Amino acid sequence: MANLNPAAQALARIKQDKQSNLAVAADLTDANSLVKLVQQVGDSICVLKTHIDVISDFTPDLITTLLDLKKQYNFLIFEDRKFADIGNTVKLQYGGGIYRIADWADIINAHVVPGPGIIEGLWEIGKTKGAGLLLLAEMSSAGNLATGDYTKTAVAWAQKYSDFVIGFIGMKKLVDDPKFVTMTPGINFADKSDKLKQQYVTPEQAIQGGSDIIIVGRGIYGASDPSLAAKQYREAGWGAYNSL
Amino acid sequence: MANLNPAAQALARIKQDKQSNLAVAADLTDANSLVKLVQQVGDSICVLKTHIDVISDFTPDLITTLLDLKKQYNFLIFEDRKFADIGNTVKLQYGGGIYRIADWADIINAHVVPGPGIIEGLWEIGKTKGAGLLLLAEMSSAGNLATGDYTKTAVAWAQKYSDFVIGFIGMKKLVDDPKFVTMTPGINFADKSDKLKQQYVTPEQAIQGGSDIIIVGRGIYGASDPSLAAKQYREAGWGAYNSL
């Protein structure tokens, strides 16, 4: 059965409408560059993944602009905050502060290491917003500890809290259940690594492993023509998806 | 051998000078309340633990004020950001954004789940600042996954990166090595739990388990007289420490 969470339903619809399973990881550090990138890649993506806390000149106006772009290009906004604290604290971090993430992010994510209280804390805010939560069940970085029983626990908690949890950050499909999407980071046509232990896989490798959404960062925003790169990643991802 | 990291050395000195192993978790959501709390408890603490991203009216002026208070009362500032991303991303989150954490936090912390790249990424910034890193080897929340091999890995990486890692967030002493301090969260005279799965232990229980620094949040900022509560927690912690 499909996931009834509003963000999960919107994501499924946008994927089909735009024939895209591409998320861009917009890891840029100033507002103008971020906005420019979204204008370049907006047609090709179903998800804009942000790290709002790396923007050195953030103001609430940036959120207004991103929400306008969201309407214009039809994508969801995934704030990659990787919440990682106890329930009482993540509630404050998600709903408050300068960023007020709950007011604009359709999708957020959380580590499972703090225990299920992190999901319950975020849900106290997220349920009023129709937001969807991804659990970090696996990571793309070398030597990471999101493996084995850790990953299995994330899957079990997703089942338990499936009103809110719409899927996983993972390198492959982790459970055969249409309620959950798998979004895979570290995607690059050139599979290699960076000097801080990020490890890349290609769109085809990810999709063949059962991933639903490919997350591309430096392969797009670091390209000489981000618009063209986004088109190419969208085609590669969607093509691989449809030839399964 | 003592830890040569500048933050570790400053912490050891302040602890002795103020006869305090008390850190206050200042989980308040507006700048005025935070400043007022620091004025109330400043004499009693060796560490001010902040969540800068829950302050709804944050401006850079708040940092200036906190640094003035730090000078006046002699404590270290520990930004409890719980970094939890790959190396390339945490570098940007630590050094940049609106908060510029690297410019004012003496101590930060990180989860180990992303792998050792998170330590290496933070260190690229932290080594220029004399900052110290705590690894989240254990957590205080119910059902958390920072146990067993996960905790052992944190201890192993602390040994490997001990120029930067000054200790652990943990519920007890994890390794008999004077290079590392253990800071224990979830301390409250009334050992119980909150409704989002935080579990409390008393100062005496923590110190008897080998903790070096007790972190008290709601027990102080939620008290009718935070100044008095801080004095009481300082005395309980330091007393337990000296009767070992």
Side-chain angles (χ1 to χ4, degrees), chain A residues 155-237:
Chain A
V155 173
W157 291 350
Q159 298 280 5
K160 182 171 176 196
Y161 297 95
S162 64
D163 288 345
F164 188 30
V165 178
I166 65 170
F168 306 100
I169 298 296
M171 306 312 291
K172 57 185 180 298
K173 186 171 286 301
L174 297 169
V175 58
D176 193 15
D177 184 332
K179 274 201 303 295
F180 301 118
V181 296
T182 300
M183 296 201 191
T184 302
I187 302 289
N188 199 298
F189 284 130
D191 52 336
K192 48 185 186 183
S193 61
D194 78 0
K195 68 187 177 57
L196 286 171
K197 298 191 165 51
Q198 169 75 307
Q199 308 171 117
Y200 292 112
V201 295
T202 68
E204 291 77 9
Q205 287 166 344
I207 298 294
Q208 281 159 16
S211 174
D212 301 290
I213 306 277
I214 55 171
I215 304 175
V216 183
R218 283 168 262 187
I220 292 177
Y221 71 75
S224 56
D225 184 343
S227 175
L228 177 64
K231 284 188 178 67
Q232 291 168 338
Y233 277 102
R234 186 198 69 76
E235 277 166 29

Side-chain angles (χ1 to χ4, degrees), chain A residues 27-29 49 51-59 80-89 91-93 96-100 111-118 120-121 124 136 139-146 149-150 153-154 157 160-161 194-198 218 221, chain B residues 27-29 49 51-59 80-89 91-93 96-100 111-118 120-121 124 136 139-146 149-150 153-154 157 160-161 194-198 218 221:
Chain A
D27 297 341
L28 299 167
T29 56
K49 185 174 86 63
H51 281 298
I52 203 69
D53 64 341
V54 308
I55 306 289
S56 57
D57 57 350
F58 171 87
T59 65
D80 186 7
R81 173 60 177 77
K82 292 185 174 68
F83 290 104
D85 213 311
I86 64 172
N88 189 61
T89 300
K91 261 181 74 175
L92 302 176
Q93 292 172 323
I98 286 289
Y99 297 128
R100 305 187 65 81
H111 282 291
V112 293
V113 60
I118 189 171
E120 296 174 13
E124 287 193 5
L136 284 139
M139 294 188 75
S140 52
S141 43
N144 80 77
L145 307 182
D149 285 344
Y150 187 103
T153 302
W157 291 350
K160 182 171 176 196
Y161 297 95
D194 78 0
K195 68 187 177 57
L196 286 171
K197 298 191 165 51
Q198 169 75 307
R218 283 168 262 187
Y221 71 75
Chain B
D27 298 339
L28 300 166
T29 56
K49 185 173 86 62
H51 282 299
I52 204 70
D53 64 343
V54 308
I55 306 290
S56 58
D57 57 350
F58 171 87
T59 64
D80 186 6
R81 173 58 176 78
K82 293 186 173 66
F83 290 104
D85 213 313
I86 64 172
N88 189 61
T89 300
K91 261 181 73 175
L92 302 176
Q93 292 172 322
I98 286 289
Y99 296 128
R100 305 188 63 81
H111 281 291
V112 293
V113 60
I118 190 171
E120 296 174 13
E124 287 192 7
L136 283 139
M139 295 188 76
S140 52
S141 42
N144 80 76
L145 307 183
D149 285 345
Y150 186 103
T153 302
W157 291 351
K160 181 170 176 197
Y161 297 95
D194 77 1
K195 69 183 174 62
L196 287 171
K197 299 190 164 52
Q198 169 75 308
R218 283 168 264 187
Y221 71 75

